[in-house]
Amino acid sequence: VINSGGGDIALTAKYDGSDDDHLTINARVVASGGNGNITLNAGTDLLVNDSGGDPEVSAAGAGAITANVNRDVLLNSVTTLQSDSGKITLSANDGLDNDLPANDGRVDMADTARILSTTGMIELNAYDDIILGGLSTGNTSATAVALTSTAGGIVDGGDTYLDVEANLGRLVMDAVTGIGSGADTGTMPGTPVNAVLETKVGSLDMDNTGTTGNIDILESDDVTIVNARQTNAANAGYIKVVTTNGSITVDNGGATGD
């Protein structure tokens, strides 16, 4: 689906009560020639598959990419969503047709899946887990990348790309069962393989407000922590931020835990 005249594109698979009202993207969806928006509405799941061309979904200029999905967002291997300055927003189980089970709704990126924006913000919302491939933006704002899981965690989906890159912007994360958290494999105390979130961001704002999980970040260079809050009710969760090549500055209250 290509609109090269600057107009919008809207694709919808309406929920009719069955379990297969998916919106499946197998070919490229491109809005070019202006500031056209792309809207993807799925009655159950949104599946983006490798189209053989890159990127699979792209919006030029200030065009935004928005996905409203009643259950899961699935970005499969070697797929890319890309914008210029427009915001990219993916929402899983956003309540449009809320007679689906309330515990459904995750954003699941394959290891080689990417969400890219030249200067636009990236926002991912899910009821359940957010599993990251690679996110990257040149946006410099205090919400350059915002990740929110209502009942799950924010986890690493692989190591092909940095999980989040916004070198001059802020990464804001809110979760319930951990951020960069998973089952301990024994490689380091409390540090699972492929669980730590790998970042290259200007600043971090992180809240894990549930009863389980840790906050575990591996940063590539200088980073400022403006907020890191851990409220693990079992008093077992920790906050760990490590940089491989730079400094860590704690600002505006810093890290706290209950």
Side-chain angles (χ1 to χ4, degrees):
V1 179
I2 297 177
N3 187 334
S4 58
D8 298 338
I9 297 173
L11 302 177
T12 298
K14 186 172 176 58
Y15 180 64
D16 64 5
S18 63
D19 193 43
D20 60 355
D21 298 316
H22 311 319
L23 178 61
T24 301
I25 307 296
N26 290 320
R28 298 186 70 201
V29 179
V30 179
S32 62
N35 300 295
N37 300 310
I38 296 175
T39 303
L40 307 173
N41 301 307
T44 46
D45 300 337
L46 169 65
L47 300 94
V48 180
N49 298 318
D50 179 14
S51 66
D54 187 40
E56 274 62 37
V57 181
S58 66
I65 299 172
T66 304
N68 304 302
V69 179
N70 274 323
R71 194 164 61 188
D72 298 333
V73 175
L74 306 171
L75 305 185
N76 292 319
S77 297
V78 294
T79 58
T80 302
L81 277 59
Q82 184 171 334
S83 74
D84 288 342
S85 62
K87 185 177 182 179
I88 299 176
T89 306
L90 308 182
S91 298
N93 191 14
D94 68 351
L96 285 177
D97 293 300
N98 212 20
D99 52 340
L100 285 168
N103 61 349
D104 282 342
R106 74 186 191 278
V107 175
D108 191 345
M109 300 177 65
D111 175 31
T112 54
R114 298 184 298 168
I115 300 175
L116 310 175
S117 184
T118 305
T119 58
M121 293 182 288
I122 298 173
E123 179 180 337
L124 307 184
N125 305 297
Y127 178 87
D128 208 337
D129 291 341
I130 296 175
I131 303 168
L132 297 176
L135 310 181
S136 180
T137 180
N139 188 276
T140 62
S141 74
T143 53
V145 178
L147 311 175
T148 302
S149 172
T150 304
I154 301 169
V155 298
D156 180 11
D159 293 326
T160 298
Y161 305 107
L162 289 174
D163 294 303
V164 182
E165 186 170 0
N167 201 33
L168 299 176
R170 182 169 301 167
L171 169 58
V172 181
M173 295 183 286
D174 293 279
V176 174
T177 62
I179 296 171
S181 182
D184 186 3
T185 61
T187 55
M188 288 178 60
T191 306
V193 170
N194 292 335
V196 176
L197 289 190
E198 297 154 341
T199 65
K200 186 175 183 180
V201 299
S203 58
L204 289 163
D205 181 341
M206 308 171 290
D207 287 277
N208 184 51
T209 57
T211 60
T212 61
N214 305 309
I215 297 176
D216 217 332
I217 306 295
L218 181 62
E219 168 64 25
S220 298
D221 56 12
D222 298 338
V223 67
T224 298
I225 301 173
V226 298
N227 174 62
R229 188 163 61 102
Q230 169 67 274
T231 59
N232 188 317
N235 292 319
Y238 61 77
I239 299 171
K240 180 164 63 177
V241 179
V242 175
T243 180
T244 59
N245 184 29
S247 62
I248 298 173
T249 302
V250 179
D251 190 17
N252 196 30
T256 63
D258 291 344

